[in-house]
């Protein structure tokens, strides 16, 4: 398995922050090279060795993608700025007492392993086979989860989407699909302006963005330009925003992108963050009808504790399954033995449910069952389950699906926009000193 294939399935940036201090070995009859501070970020410092380690990792990543590397001084500046923002967020999280407990970390690792279609041991071996230290990988994941929780508390918790916004979205955007494609692969470059920027600073940023647009239209490589020039969050990925449905495009570009042809460049587009340049890399159509499969389900739950371990829980459920297959009444056994008190009183009944209404392991087991079939014991974070599907039906869920998706999309748009502003405010208000020789 190639490294780029593995990390295609891993939606987080933790492995880019494997930091350490490197002291070159002394050469005979020559002075030792001393490390130095290249940046101060509030209470923390960034050493030249740390920066070079990160730059090396980014160079390998860019090289593996087949893209041409920007000049070293440009790459160092970009990477250093990302490191500064990372340190500032980490300090804020620590001041607020944000921590990730071992169980949360374990569940995150299990989720990553499942996304790669592996168990945890296989996932660990895959990480080590890629030349990474697994303990460092886990530590970086804990840090990234902590920063995600920080951003959720600082930004996500403040985001609200009203029913009126959802209705307006469906009327103006959600019900229509462009004849040029329902999904768009976008590239993005941001030339940022500082908070409360002077008219002169704004004009300078605008002129810089206009010059970049002109050069891009003359054939300058967008991917490399984003790496070297963009202040956006995806700069080191060449400004790649990935595939997005029309309704998931940032509000600022929502009315522009559907009228673009493949390869078109648009900008500069003004926003509170600065001046944006976008490129339509590709577009494709989409199906606007959404069908949902519902299952009429009942279950028996056995929880683990100090007395009942996993093996004992499985044994108890296997005995119950054997009794049910021999003709005993499922409902009576659920009432007597299930530890899900809400459903036990109803004979284990969960009613009609969709896969997204339950945790993934339960949904996966449920989806594999035929009507009337009884599952083997299934483990979820809640304990061990015996599951039975009584009936199945498929219905058109398009309207409800669109409403749900509209709320998610509007929320994500606001989160992206507010996160960008929050990070710039955090950077602007912090004490930062940069000593980077160009």
């Amino acid at each position: 398995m190639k490294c780029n294939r593995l990390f295609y399935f891993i939606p987080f940036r933790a492995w880019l922050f494997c930091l350490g201090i490197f002291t070159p070995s002394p050469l005979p009859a020559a002075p030792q090279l001393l490390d130095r501070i290249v940046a101060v970020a509030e209470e923390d410092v960034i050493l030249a060795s740390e920066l070079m380690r990160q730059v090396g990792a980014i160079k390998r990543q860019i090289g593996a993608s087949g893209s041409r590397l920007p000049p070293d001084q440009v790459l160092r500046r970009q990477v250093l700025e990302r490191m500064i923002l990372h340190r500032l967020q980490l300090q804020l999280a620590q001041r607020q007492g944000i921590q990730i407990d071992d169980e949360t970390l374990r569940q995150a690792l299990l989720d990553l392993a499942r996304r790669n279609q592996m168990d945890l041991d296989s996932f660990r071996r895959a990480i080590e086979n890629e030349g990474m230290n697994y303990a460092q990988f886990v530590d970086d994941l804990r840090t990234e989860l902590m920063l995600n929780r920080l951003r959720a508390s600082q930004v996500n918790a403040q985001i609200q989407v009203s029913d009126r916004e959802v209705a307006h979205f469906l009327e103006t955007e959600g019900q229509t699909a462009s004849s040029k494609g329902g999904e768009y692969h976008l590239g993005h470059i941001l030339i940022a302006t500082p908070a409360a920027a002077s008219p002169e600073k704004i004009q300078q940023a605008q002129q810089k963005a206009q010059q970049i647009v002109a050069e891009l239209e003359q054939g300058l490589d967008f991917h490399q330009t984003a790496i070297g020039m963009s202040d956006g969050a995806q700069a080191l990925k060449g400004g790649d925003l990935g595939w997005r449905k029309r309704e998931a495009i940032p509000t600022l570009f929502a009315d522009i992108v559907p009228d673009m042809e493949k390869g078109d460049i648009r900008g500069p587009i003004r926003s509170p963050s600065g001046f944006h340049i976008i490129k339509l890399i590709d577009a494709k159509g989409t199906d606007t009808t959404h069908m949902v499969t519902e299952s009429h389900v009942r279950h028996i739950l056995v929880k683990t504790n100090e007395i009942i371990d996993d093996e004992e829980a499985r044994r108890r459920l296997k005995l119950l399954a054997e009794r049910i297959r021999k003709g005993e009444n499922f409902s009576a056994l659920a009432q007597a033995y299930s530890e899900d008190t809400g459903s036990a009183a109803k004979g284990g009944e969960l009613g009609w449910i969709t896969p997204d209404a339950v945790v993934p392991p339960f949904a996966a087991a449920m989806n594999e069952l035929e009507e009337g079939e009884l599952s083997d014991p299934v483990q979820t974070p809640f304990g061990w389950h015996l599951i039975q599907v009584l009936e199945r039906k498929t219905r058109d869920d398009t309207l409800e699906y669109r409403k749900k998706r509209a709320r998610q999309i509007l929320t994500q748009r606001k989160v992206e926009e507010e996160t960008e502003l929050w990070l710039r405010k955090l950077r602007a208000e912090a004490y930062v000193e940069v000593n980077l020789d160009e």
Side-chain angles (χ1 to χ4, degrees), residues 19 36-47 50 79-95 423 426-435:
L19 306 179
R36 67 184 184 89
I37 295 173
V38 293
V40 177
E42 288 285 0
E43 304 161 7
D44 205 352
V45 298
I46 298 173
L47 301 175
E50 295 177 302
V79 174
L80 181 58
E81 189 60 35
R82 297 301 179 275
M83 293 176 72
I84 289 169
L85 275 175
H86 182 264
R87 299 292 179 91
L88 293 176
Q89 292 175 79
L90 185 57
Q91 290 174 47
L92 180 57
Q94 291 169 342
R95 288 197 297 271
L423 287 173
L426 181 67
R427 174 67 169 82
E429 294 179 351
Y431 172 75
V432 176
E433 182 179 335
V434 176
N435 182 28

Side-chain angles (χ1 to χ4, degrees), residues 32 41 54 142 151 282 406 415 435:
Q32 284 194 359
Q54 293 250 17
R142 188 191 294 271
R151 289 188 285 266
D282 204 352
V415 166
N435 182 28

Side-chain angles (χ1 to χ4, degrees), residues 90 148 340 365:
L90 185 57
N148 287 343
D340 179 2

Side-chain angles (χ1 to χ4, degrees), residues 151 195 264 320:
R151 289 188 285 266
D264 280 355
L320 291 174

Side-chain angles (χ1 to χ4, degrees), residues 85-147:
L85 275 175
H86 182 264
R87 299 292 179 91
L88 293 176
Q89 292 175 79
L90 185 57
Q91 290 174 47
L92 180 57
Q94 291 169 342
R95 288 197 297 271
Q96 294 190 356
I98 297 175
Q99 296 182 341
I100 301 298
D101 60 71
D102 291 343
E103 180 58 25
T104 299
L105 181 62
R106 189 181 76 87
Q107 289 299 326
L109 287 166
L110 286 170
D111 182 56
L112 291 175
R114 282 194 294 265
R115 292 188 187 193
N116 284 275
Q117 300 179 338
M118 303 178 189
D119 59 30
L120 198 53
D121 287 339
S122 300
F123 182 69
R124 176 173 185 157
R125 288 193 296 271
I127 293 296
E128 292 172 342
N129 289 341
E130 297 295 345
M132 289 178 284
N133 181 286
Y134 185 73
Q136 183 66 58
F137 180 90
V138 172
D139 188 54
D140 289 338
L141 175 58
R142 188 191 294 271
T143 299
E144 189 66 14
L145 291 171
M146 185 166 63
L147 296 186

